[in-house]
Amino acid sequence: MFSVGSVSAGALLGILIGAYINHLLAKSRSREDIKHQNFIKASADLREAFATELVSLSPHNVEEVDAYTFLEAAFAKHQKAITLFRPYLDTTKQKEFDMAWYEYYCQDGDQNIPFLEQYSSHIGSHSNYLESCKQAVARINKILSFSGT
C-alpha cells in the first residue's frame, strides 16, 4: 500500500472523503438557513401588509370605521402580500392558505369573485360596525397564522 511518511493512502482517502461530506453538509445547512431567513422576511412583510387594518379595525376604533369602506382600499396591498408570501409554504399549507385568503376576499363558494361587500355594515347579517370589523379581524388573523405568529 502507498504511504507518505506515516500516512497511508487509505487514511488520506478517508480524510478527503470526510472533508467532502462535511462540505456538502455545510452547503445544505447554509441553504436551509437562507430559506429560513427568507421565510422570516416574507412573514414580516405579510404581517406588515395587514398591520394598519388590524389596528384600525380593533374594538377601540370601530365606531368610526365601516370595515368595507376601510378594507376596500387595502385589498390590492393585501393581495400583493399574499402572492409574495405563498411560495414560502409547502403544498399542503398553500392550499390551506388559499382557503383562508378566499374566505377573506371572495364570495362564499366562488374563489374567483371578490366579495368585499361581506364586510359592509349595511347588508345581511353584518348589521353593525362591530360585527363586520370582528369578522375581518378574525379572517386576517387566520391568514397571518401561516406566518408563524
Side-chain angles (χ1 to χ4, degrees), residues 8-147:
S8 70
L12 189 56
L13 184 61
I15 291 170
L16 291 174
I17 290 173
Y20 180 70
I21 290 172
N22 190 36
H23 170 72
L24 291 177
L25 291 173
K27 280 178 58 176
S28 175
R29 282 189 304 266
S30 178
R31 275 192 297 263
E32 287 300 314
D33 287 346
I34 290 169
K35 186 177 176 181
H36 182 70
Q37 290 300 321
N38 288 341
F39 176 79
I40 290 171
K41 167 88 170 80
S43 294
D45 292 345
L46 181 68
R47 289 189 304 270
E48 183 179 330
F50 286 90
T52 301
E53 290 70 37
L54 281 176
V55 169
S56 297
L57 295 173
S58 73
H60 306 292
N61 297 323
V62 294
E63 293 163 33
E64 299 291 328
V65 178
D66 175 40
Y68 167 75
T69 304
F70 187 73
L71 290 173
E72 185 178 31
F75 277 118
K77 173 180 71 167
H78 295 167
Q79 191 162 30
K80 179 181 177 184
I82 293 291
T83 302
L84 293 174
F85 179 76
R86 188 179 185 277
Y88 292 98
L89 300 171
D90 63 42
T91 306
T92 302
K93 290 288 185 189
Q94 283 182 357
K95 289 177 183 175
E96 294 171 12
F97 186 67
D98 290 346
M99 292 308 297
W101 169 250
Y102 297 143
E103 184 179 320
Y104 172 67
Y105 184 65
C106 297
Q107 183 171 351
D108 290 341
D110 196 331
Q111 300 168 354
N112 297 317
I113 301 175
F115 185 58
L116 314 182
E117 293 80 7
Q118 65 184 315
Y119 300 109
S120 176
S121 60
H122 304 292
I123 64 168
S125 64
H126 306 291
S127 60
N128 63 56
Y129 294 119
L130 185 58
E131 183 62 31
S132 61
C133 290
K134 281 182 180 179
Q135 182 180 42
V137 167
R139 290 176 175 175
I140 289 170
N141 282 330
K142 186 173 182 179
I143 289 169
L144 296 181
S145 72
F146 290 89
S147 70

